[in-house]
Amino acid sequence: MAIAIEKNYKEENDQWNIKLSGEMDINSSDEVKKELQDIIDQNIADIEIDCEELSYIDSTGIGVLIGILKKIKKSDKTIVLTNTKDNIKRLFNITGLDKIFIIE
Amino acid sequence: MKDKVSLSLPCKADYVTVARMTTSVIANKFNFDIEDIEDLKVAVSEACNNVVIHSNIDDFFNIDFFLNGKTFIIEVEDKGKGFDIQKYEGPDLENPSENGLGIYIIETLMDDVEIKTEKGNGTKIVMSKFLK
């Protein structure tokens, strides 16, 4: 598969820790969407996504993240992307989405 | 003789990866730097995503890669349902939506973009990036 998803809920800071490895594109974005939808069905909390092994994202992946963010934002929760590669940071910057996601 | 690479790809999501990888190899051959190669990969993928998602075709679409002087040109063409480009509105970046970012991203990453489309008459997107 083009993407691997690890997930873990940290009760002490009420946060989902997700790690994405691979590419988030038209092939894999639905799978990520399903996993993220599952976790917010279980528990709406802040989501931290470790992007160290995420090598590629395009609008199909970004769209999934926007959709999830909209849902959790209603409960004042947010999405943080950590260890983000430069090419991906750039994409969030040119689309202005670095103002609505926290990118580290 | 102009060097041109032509791909004919099935209109399926799996083949967008093939287009992206091919773009990467060709761009590397033309000595683009890593940042430009990443831009080209995304732009071509976005164009292919649009074909797979919107064209309504069940067979093939084409991608041509070639140089025109000092400009690298990529043309993505399908014989699908086309769209009314007059009605296309860019994304509202203040209120982002899950869809509609593709063309905006292509236009931001590439040096020049031309979209030729008409309802019922297919779509061709011509993307250019200047060689350094």
Side-chain angles (χ1 to χ4, degrees), chain B residues 4-131:
Chain B
K4 180 163 105 168
V5 176
S6 296
L7 283 187
S8 175
L9 294 171
C11 186
K12 293 178 187 174
D14 315 43
Y15 289 93
V16 176
T17 317
V18 172
R20 183 159 68 246
M21 294 294 112
T22 304
T23 303
S24 183
V25 170
I26 296 174
N28 191 49
K29 179 182 155 49
F30 291 135
N31 296 319
F32 280 105
D33 64 31
I34 196 99
E35 193 176 283
D36 283 339
I37 293 176
E38 289 303 325
D39 288 354
L40 287 161
K41 282 165 67 178
V42 172
V44 170
S45 299
E46 295 292 358
C48 294
N49 289 342
N50 281 347
V51 177
V52 172
I53 295 168
H54 299 297
S55 70
N56 243 28
I57 58 174
D58 56 9
D59 51 12
F60 300 92
F61 70 102
N62 295 309
I63 310 180
D64 284 342
F65 304 83
F66 56 94
L67 278 187
N68 186 5
K70 286 196 170 291
T71 307
F72 178 45
I73 300 182
I74 305 171
E75 296 183 347
V76 179
E77 184 171 16
D78 69 80
K79 304 285 183 202
K81 68 180 214 252
F83 65 99
D84 182 351
I85 196 151
Q86 307 298 338
K87 294 213 172 112
Y88 170 71
E89 290 168 8
D92 178 358
L93 298 183
E94 302 291 317
N95 293 300
S97 151
E98 284 144 84
N99 303 299
L101 280 172
I103 292 180
Y104 175 77
I105 287 173
I106 294 170
E107 289 177 338
T108 312
L109 295 179
M110 300 299 283
D111 293 324
D112 193 56
V113 178
E114 206 187 321
I115 303 175
K116 301 171 192 177
T117 183
E118 206 182 302
K119 264 187 154 181
N121 237 352
T123 300
K124 181 170 176 175
I125 178 163
V126 183
M127 303 175 274
S128 306
K129 205 159 198 42
F130 308 131
L131 297 178

Side-chain angles (χ1 to χ4, degrees), chain A residues 1-24:
Chain A
M1 279 270 93
I3 199 148
I5 307 162
E6 291 168 42
K7 60 188 180 193
N8 187 24
Y9 176 67
K10 285 262 158 74
E11 203 160 334
E12 55 268 30
N13 39 6
D14 184 31
Q15 181 175 282
W16 284 103
N17 284 13
I18 306 293
K19 186 177 168 87
L20 296 178
S21 305
E23 301 185 324
M24 198 164 159

Side-chain angles (χ1 to χ4, degrees), chain A residues 19 23 39 55 63-65 74-76:
Chain A
K19 186 177 168 87
E23 301 185 324
I39 66 170
S55 57
V64 165
L65 296 180
K74 293 176 190 170
S75 308
D76 268 325

Side-chain angles (χ1 to χ4, degrees), chain A residues 1-7 17-25 27-29 31-32 35-36 48-57 65 81-85 88, chain B residues 20:
Chain A
M1 279 270 93
I3 199 148
I5 307 162
E6 291 168 42
K7 60 188 180 193
N17 284 13
I18 306 293
K19 186 177 168 87
L20 296 178
S21 305
E23 301 185 324
M24 198 164 159
D25 67 358
N27 292 292
S28 57
S29 292
E31 191 185 336
V32 178
E35 288 290 341
L36 293 178
E48 184 178 292
I49 304 180
D50 181 352
C51 298
E52 184 159 14
E53 305 295 324
L54 182 69
S55 57
Y56 175 89
I57 192 168
L65 296 180
L81 305 185
T82 62
N83 302 314
T84 315
K85 289 189 167 23
I88 294 176
Chain B
R20 183 159 68 246

